[in-house]
Amino acid sequence: MVLQPAGRVRQAGQDVTFCCKAAGTPAPQKYYWYHNGTLLEGTAARSSGRLALRGLAPEQAGTYHCKASSEAGAIRSAPAQLTVLAQGQQSCRAEPEPSLVELPSECPQNASGSRWYNVGRCPASPCPGGPAEPSGCGGEAGLCCGVRRMELRQVPCAGSLLPLKVVAECGCGPCAQPRVLVRGRVTAADTGEPLRFGHIFLGATKVGFTGYQGSFTIEVPPGTQRLVARFVDGQQRLVDAVKVLPFDRRGGAVYQEVKMLRKQEPVELDGGRSNAIPLGEARGREPVAELLLPAGAFLRPSGEVFNGTVKASVTFVDPRDVGTASAASSDLSFANAEGEIVPLRTYGMFAVDFREGGSGAELQAGPVQVRMDAGQVGMPEHLRKMKLWSLNPESGLWEEEGVLRPAGGGRRRRRRRREERTFLVGNLEIRERRLFNLDVPEDRRCFVKVRAYSNEKFNPYEQLEGVVVSLINLEPQPGFPSNPRAWGRFDSAVTGPNGACLPAFCDARRPDAYSALLTATLGGEELEAVASSPKLNPNAVGVAQPYLGKLGYRRSDHEDAALKKTALQINVAKPDPNNPDESNGPVYSYRSLRECEEAPASANHLRFYRVEVDKYEYNVVPFKESDVTSWTGDYLAWWPNPQEFRACFIKVRLQGPREYMVRSRNVGGGHPRTRGRLYGLRDSRSVRDPLLGDASGACVEFKCGGMLFDQSLPDRTLVTVVPQGSCRRTAINGLLRDYLSRHPPLADNNHTGAFSMLAPLDPLGHNYGIYTVTDQNPRLAKEIAIGRCFAGTSDGFSREMRAGEGTAVTFECQERPAGTESLFQRLLSAPAEA
């Protein structure tokens, strides 16, 4: 499906047009349209994917999708939502919705000490189009609800006033069209070696190369529902990787680690003889299957039989090893006869590469036979459904090659004795370099609800968006397939404002029949799961008893505290519809996807959270970094450009017996509209350097210098860095000092307990103690910059502080005499006087 129908909002009586378009060989000739899952009368067998509805009535609201078909099969579009408003009904209320921001610690707003302030927000919901709006078959932006007017408030704060802009009025305007990106790194699964200058394909189109360190950036084409990317090693050392990459449709960048399998070393075969290649015999295991190549099976592209020496490389992805899941290709899905994309459960994948022994020219093969050991299939019903599939590298979908049927008992030697074995046998022709799969369709499906949070408080308004959550379906327990550590499928999703719902295999008869392993990453950083030992806390996990006990929740370090805390495992116990304790998540039946997606934060769900040192951020113009559409154009906006986010950090070294809070205060430096006016505050706690005794380091964000939102004049932010405690500035980076002196004016640095500068307009680098990263996702830009700052390099990444490397300014701190206040404390208690 190359053109998906787009959601629309209309007033009753208006018209609307939906469009879809499919591609295939042969080209699809028939299109069908469905309303709320029911075929629309009069739309069957259309030759174009266009649906026009005139004079809309309220009952025509709902979801619309199309299905395209040809003799080769069918494919469905994603559903598009049509909202029909009654006459006079508003889709965008002028009154803003509540939205809370946290004020600095010295700014309690009531007797209870609450520091949360309502700044309002406008939901980015679509608005009805007017009579002149285009047909809806292109990529037009349309109209959306957004901020129409903001007002400045002065919030009482420790004897002074803190400026804060709040939303005063919402209204309809052009929808924001932020760029949607997927960024990441491609490495070899075995050694971590980066894929240098590898080829990147979207469909059949080459869109770029990976960098020297394996990094890549892909811009997602508008209207994409399923992003399929193929990574190719030009040196042919790694197997081509076809990945279905998750992305955030609302804009910004999502970070993804891509693993590629190393090709097996080729073995030499005699093309004139019969040959057998085992699939999956590594580590002393019995092979899952074997590839049988009769004499004369190898062919040149011209069709000529090749009987000489053949170099054969066959790489097998063995699902009995859970560690191979991250390197497997695609997302194990196929399009059924109705065009619906449905899941497969794998018993192994293999890639083949046959070449002439002398010239290295590529060879084809066929017909060949795949013989699968039925003893490796522990679920009897799978024996009747086992099929052989090949991966279409352009669509990322698996296509049926043939059926594996039971053959008679064969004899094979194993461990010096003879045993009777039963095999499933199928035939295959290898005409192009594809990945092949031994799979069965699986219809026992559910959805699992997951949310990510910025800390362990698990406040609903502190959820993280843009987190990539991955779920690996583990093999059923004994009594089903034999190895409980094997995997059968994997999926990924990106959290939005209401978390994410991930598909998983489930079973209603036995709670422990299927289990799932879940992980979550943000910008390459692994988030932690909630602990399961020494005592399981249902309130922390997010799932109430007794359902929690049925799920068997366990964090990865449940039995061994030395293991990482970044994964959790549950039994995917299908909820009992007659049990009210199981009707509120976190597992939902397959037909309850909408209920899962719209579940309130109070409903049961699984949780991940960020572990980070204490930090605090305050913006005069509120902005939700996980939702780039919440950006508001204002001279005091911390981020002046919603299409490109530039994060800046300064590294501070603190000599002292403990860790210290460090604040950066950021005000306008030279721009006539912002001079002396606050942009925002940033607090960050220093982190102890394990290699230096009494030294810690802090990476403190500051507002970068540069153009403001109107792009007319630059401003060099006046940045003041103040550490907590009795600290005295003892050193300034020589290169940074020289740069600032060569780019006047100089900021006053009269107080030895602080450091001030006018932010550089140049990006500088670790030699100056300044770390700058630009990205389309503000969170990702900050994560990369912090990783470089911790490492003290401009191209590295670390989560372990190196306080002696790449530092901008050094303070020496000591314990204060009783009864005296530091400059930091005076700024909190009486900022005007300080």
Side-chain angles (χ1 to χ4, degrees):
M1 191 64 64
V2 295
L3 176 63
Q4 304 276 357
R8 288 287 180 262
V9 176
R10 290 290 186 270
Q11 297 278 359
Q14 289 186 323
D15 303 335
V16 72
T17 301
F18 291 110
C19 294
C20 73
K21 183 180 180 182
T25 307
Q29 296 297 324
K30 297 180 180 179
Y31 288 85
Y32 307 83
W33 281 94
Y34 297 78
H35 177 219
N36 292 335
T38 302
L39 180 66
L40 287 171
E41 294 183 10
T43 67
R46 293 186 172 203
S47 59
S48 74
R50 189 180 181 95
L51 174 67
L53 304 174
R54 309 294 182 196
L56 288 169
E59 59 267 20
Q60 290 178 282
T63 60
Y64 288 81
H65 78 266
C66 78
K67 182 178 77 172
S69 67
S70 73
E71 61 193 67
I75 191 72
R76 280 190 196 181
S77 74
Q81 183 72 32
L82 173 62
T83 302
V84 180
L85 302 174
Q87 291 294 336
Q89 182 182 356
Q90 296 293 321
S91 64
C92 178
R93 297 178 57 192
E95 182 182 354
E97 292 182 352
S99 180
L100 302 178
V101 298
E102 187 178 10
L103 299 176
S105 58
E106 62 271 22
C107 305
Q109 293 303 295
N110 53 38
S112 66
S114 173
R115 295 188 286 117
W116 296 95
Y117 196 94
N118 181 17
V119 296
R121 64 180 290 270
C122 300
S125 54
C127 293
E133 187 184 43
S135 65
C137 296
E140 62 274 0
L143 299 176
C144 290
C145 190
V147 176
R148 176 166 287 175
R149 182 170 60 86
M150 297 188 77
E151 62 182 34
L152 181 65
R153 302 262 179 92
Q154 299 289 343
V155 181
C157 183
S160 65
L161 296 176
L162 185 72
L164 178 64
K165 291 214 167 184
V166 301
V167 178
E169 183 183 358
C170 301
C172 291
C175 295
Q177 289 187 300
R179 296 171 68 195
V180 181
L181 301 174
V182 175
R183 299 190 63 177
R185 189 164 177 258
V186 188
T187 56
D190 54 351
T191 64
E193 172 192 0
L195 174 67
R196 294 191 169 108
F197 311 118
H199 307 274
I200 305 173
F201 292 84
L202 294 184
T205 306
K206 186 154 106 176
V207 295
F209 298 87
T210 61
Y212 182 76
Q213 294 294 337
S215 59
F216 68 90
T217 299
I218 297 173
E219 184 158 2
V220 182
T224 299
Q225 292 288 329
R226 196 165 178 270
L227 180 65
V228 179
R230 178 162 54 105
F231 299 91
V232 178
D233 178 14
Q235 300 183 35
Q236 294 299 309
R237 299 165 304 165
L238 305 173
V239 178
D240 294 0
V242 178
K243 296 290 184 178
V244 180
L245 299 173
F247 59 93
D248 190 343
R249 290 181 174 85
R250 297 170 306 155
V254 168
Y255 186 87
Q256 190 79 13
E257 290 278 357
V258 175
K259 304 293 184 183
M260 295 182 72
L261 286 172
R262 189 172 301 280
K263 286 185 177 179
Q264 286 289 341
E265 287 296 322
V267 296
E268 290 192 351
L269 305 177
D270 185 347
R273 292 186 171 187
S274 296
N275 295 279
I277 301 176
L279 302 175
E281 65 172 355
R283 301 185 182 179
R285 295 190 179 106
E286 283 293 315
V288 173
E290 57 186 356
L291 193 61
L292 303 178
L293 302 113
F298 297 104
L299 307 170
R300 289 189 167 117
S302 62
E304 175 190 356
V305 175
F306 180 78
N307 287 322
T309 300
V310 176
K311 287 192 173 181
S313 171
V314 179
T315 306
F316 187 71
V317 180
D318 194 337
R320 295 174 297 182
D321 180 0
V322 72
T324 62
S326 62
S329 276
S330 179
D331 61 353
L332 287 169
S333 299
F334 75 104
N336 64 13
E338 291 299 313
E340 184 182 6
I341 296 178
V342 290
L344 292 167
R345 178 255 180 254
T346 187
Y347 281 91
M349 309 177 191
F350 61 96
V352 298
D353 187 12
F354 299 137
R355 297 183 180 271
E356 295 184 22
S359 67
E362 199 166 335
L363 293 171
Q364 300 173 352
V368 301
Q369 193 176 82
V370 177
R371 192 166 70 160
M372 183 178 181
D373 183 357
Q376 299 291 339
V377 183
M379 301 182 79
E381 64 268 31
H382 283 182
L383 293 171
R384 300 187 299 271
K385 299 191 293 183
M386 191 70 64
K387 294 181 180 180
L388 191 60
W389 308 77
S390 68
L391 179 62
N392 184 325
E394 295 184 16
S395 68
L397 295 174
W398 294 89
E399 299 171 349
E400 185 179 333
E401 291 283 344
V403 178
L404 291 171
R405 303 187 185 280
R411 291 186 178 274
R412 95 198 283 194
R413 183 172 298 277
R414 187 181 80 152
R415 297 179 185 170
R416 302 185 180 180
R417 60 189 176 92
R418 305 183 71 83
E419 283 188 358
E420 293 291 335
R421 309 294 273 173
T422 303
F423 295 97
L424 302 176
V425 178
N427 295 315
L428 174 69
E429 290 192 3
I430 303 172
R431 299 297 185 187
E432 56 182 318
R433 199 170 65 212
R434 280 195 176 194
L435 189 65
F436 300 96
N437 203 349
L438 304 164
D439 272 34
V440 292
E442 179 59 273
D443 54 7
R444 287 176 286 189
R445 294 174 280 166
C446 289
F447 287 96
V448 179
K449 182 75 174 195
V450 181
R451 299 179 190 270
Y453 294 86
S454 60
N455 53 54
E456 284 184 275
K457 297 177 184 176
F458 304 122
N459 290 320
Y461 42 83
E462 292 185 293
Q463 291 189 63
L464 292 174
E465 301 174 39
V467 174
V468 178
V469 183
S470 298
L471 183 150
I472 301 174
N473 272 110
L474 300 179
E475 266 302 289
Q477 295 291 327
F480 288 75
S482 59
N483 186 350
R485 282 191 57 77
W487 60 272
R489 181 178 169 76
F490 50 87
D491 281 280
S492 295
V494 177
T495 58
N498 201 34
C501 294
L502 290 97
F505 296 146
C506 59
D507 191 86
R509 293 175 299 151
R510 255 184 77 176
D512 61 350
Y514 285 99
S515 59
L517 182 74
L518 291 98
T519 58
T521 60
L522 177 64
E525 175 195 356
E526 295 178 303
L527 274 62
E528 278 198 13
V530 179
S532 58
S533 63
K535 185 178 179 180
L536 192 63
N537 183 351
N539 292 329
V541 173
V543 182
Q545 295 285 19
Y547 198 18
L548 179 59
K550 191 174 180 180
L551 296 178
Y553 178 95
R554 294 158 67 90
R555 194 168 72 175
S556 46
D557 66 340
H558 183 81
E559 295 177 346
D560 185 354
L563 295 178
K564 296 172 76 173
K565 305 173 183 179
T566 53
L568 65 89
Q569 185 173 329
I570 62 166
N571 302 322
V572 192
K574 188 174 183 179
D576 181 353
N578 299 316
N579 187 343
D581 291 329
E582 300 179 12
S583 63
N584 198 30
V587 181
Y588 295 82
S589 65
Y590 188 71
R591 298 298 174 191
S592 301
L593 173 59
R594 186 168 182 177
E595 183 181 342
C596 177
E597 291 178 334
E598 298 178 355
S602 58
N604 290 336
H605 59 275
L606 300 174
R607 293 169 170 171
F608 288 91
Y609 64 93
R610 245 183 122 184
V611 179
E612 58 185 2
V613 296
D614 293 339
K615 75 172 191 177
Y616 170 75
E617 299 177 357
Y618 173 78
N619 298 324
V620 169
V621 180
F623 173 60
K624 194 173 183 180
E625 292 178 351
S626 57
D627 181 8
V628 294
T629 61
S630 68
W631 180 86
T632 305
D634 193 285
Y635 283 103
L636 295 177
W638 185 275
W639 306 98
N641 184 353
Q643 299 288 347
E644 191 174 74
F645 297 90
R646 188 167 167 230
C648 296
F649 284 78
I650 183 170
K651 188 169 184 177
V652 181
R653 175 173 175 170
L654 299 111
Q655 291 290 142
R658 56 189 178 90
E659 296 175 342
Y660 302 87
M661 290 295 294
V662 183
R663 167 171 289 185
S664 77
R665 179 179 174 87
N666 303 265
V667 301
H671 196 285
R673 298 293 294 268
T674 63
R675 186 182 294 115
R677 301 178 67 188
L678 184 68
Y679 289 117
L681 307 172
R682 295 294 187 267
D683 292 346
S684 182
R685 183 175 294 279
S686 65
V687 178
R688 178 88 40 204
D689 186 329
L691 302 180
L692 299 176
D694 281 342
S696 62
C699 294
V700 187
E701 186 184 8
F702 65 90
K703 186 185 183 305
C704 305
M707 291 291 185
L708 300 186
F709 90 101
D710 63 357
Q711 301 295 304
S712 61
L713 288 173
D715 184 33
R716 292 182 64 189
T717 311
L718 176 58
V719 182
T720 302
V721 177
V722 185
Q724 177 190 26
S726 295
C727 299
R728 180 173 56 88
R729 189 181 70 245
T730 57
I732 299 174
N733 182 295
L735 290 176
L736 177 61
R737 185 177 57 244
D738 292 346
Y739 175 90
L740 296 175
S741 65
R742 286 186 284 106
H743 295 80
L746 284 172
D748 290 335
N749 266 305
N750 295 331
H751 200 294
T752 59
F755 169 73
S756 297
M757 69 174 182
L758 288 167
L761 297 178
D762 301 303
L764 302 187
H766 71 282
N767 291 328
Y768 299 80
I770 304 293
Y771 300 85
T772 306
V773 173
T774 301
D775 195 90
Q776 282 70 32
N777 183 313
R779 287 189 180 277
L780 191 55
K782 296 204 301 193
E783 286 301 315
I784 296 172
I786 290 172
R788 293 177 179 176
C789 180
F790 267 61
T793 66
S794 294
D795 56 1
F797 190 92
S798 175
R799 285 296 175 197
E800 194 170 84
M801 175 59 71
R802 294 285 178 261
E805 306 290 334
T807 302
V809 60
T810 301
F811 289 89
E812 190 170 306
C813 304
Q814 59 187 6
E815 295 300 319
R816 289 185 317 279
T820 62
E821 282 189 330
S822 68
L823 173 64
F824 186 90
Q825 288 178 315
R826 294 201 301 276
L827 279 171
L828 298 184
S829 60
E833 179 185 343

